[in-house]
Every structure is written in C-alpha cells, then in structure tokens.
Amino acid sequence: GLAKRESLTGLRAFREAWQEAIYFIEKPGFVLNAENVSDAYTKYIHAPYESNFGPYFRLLYTILSRIDGDKFLTEEEKHKYGNLLRSQLNSYELAVTGLNGLSPVAKDFSKLIVQFHLLKYLPEGTRRKTLLECYPEQAFASRD
C-alpha cells in the first residue's frame, strides 16, 4: 500500500491513492455502489492520508462552493469558473476527487461535483466505469 512506499507527491500521490482504492474495490465479492466505494475510500485513503489529501479537497470544495453561492455571478459565469477549475485537474485528481465526494466527511461535495460536471473529462476505463456507478450522468455530461 501507500504507507510502505516512499513519500509521494503530486500526480504520483493521486495515482497511488486511486490504485490503493481500486485494489479493494475490484476484489471478488465487492458490490460496486456509492456506499461501498465511499467506505473503501474512507478506510484506505481518507483515514490514513487525510493530512495529505484533506487540505487539497477542502480547497476544491471551498472554491466550488463560493462560485455556487456567489450572488453576483451569472449561471454562465459560474459554469466558466467551474470549467476553469476543472481544467486544472488531471484524470487521477478527478477520480480521487470523485471518491472523496462520496465520503461522509465531504459534506455536499458530491452535489458540487455533479453540478459543475467535474467528472466530464475522466477517460474511458476503470476510473470512469467505477464512478459512473456512484454518480448521476450529469457529473460526466457536457453543458451543450
């Protein structure tokens, strides 16, 4: 697992976090649904690594929440700012953000992930397939 390896940062940390979670999610007998994925994320990523990932997810949450709650931005402007944030995230950051959004500690982060279509650019494959079982289509949809 992550704990046995050298300290990882950046993309490598997110890639390894995903690999750690999916190791348990893909075990025989695992029922793929939001609650079970949330439990796996909470146990194998959040609990041991909250001090590493927590500030990152709180920042994403706060930015999206402030955009959403802003009284002066139009809906179009809110979408543009959300798109700007999303464009800065690589596919592993998006995938682990999706896992985090399912967690009880994430408040209503999953609502913001859906509202801002944050998972739109997750590539076809295990990450997208897994999160499609946990989020409505809107989280992956285009705005058009």
Side-chain angles (χ1 to χ4, degrees), residues 12-24:
R12 287 184 65 207
F14 282 92
R15 185 183 301 126
E16 290 299 319
W18 176 264
Q19 298 293 43
E20 187 83 0
I22 203 67
Y23 172 80
F24 295 98

Side-chain angles (χ1 to χ4, degrees), residues 41-103:
Y41 170 81
T42 300
K43 183 174 182 181
Y44 302 111
I45 307 302
H46 178 76
Y49 308 110
E50 190 283 331
S51 63
N52 301 90
F53 289 111
Y56 178 87
F57 293 123
R58 285 191 294 276
L59 179 62
L60 288 181
Y61 175 86
T62 300
I63 291 169
L64 292 173
S65 182
R66 295 243 172 113
I67 293 169
D68 180 45
D70 191 281
K71 306 259 187 280
F72 300 102
L73 294 174
T74 65
E75 285 305 307
E76 185 178 339
E77 289 169 328
K78 289 178 182 186
H79 296 315
K80 284 183 181 179
Y81 285 117
N83 291 350
L84 181 62
L85 177 65
R86 182 183 64 204
S87 73
Q88 300 303 304
L89 306 177
N90 68 55
S91 63
Y92 283 98
E93 288 171 312
L94 289 173
V96 178
T97 296
L99 296 177
N100 176 270
L102 299 170
S103 174

Side-chain angles (χ1 to χ4, degrees), residues 102-121:
L102 299 170
S103 174
V105 300
K107 297 200 279 190
D108 60 345
F109 196 15
S110 64
K111 175 185 90 71
L112 295 168
I113 289 170
V114 172
Q115 180 181 337
F116 285 98
H117 301 233
L118 225 57
L119 305 177
K120 175 182 175 182
Y121 292 114

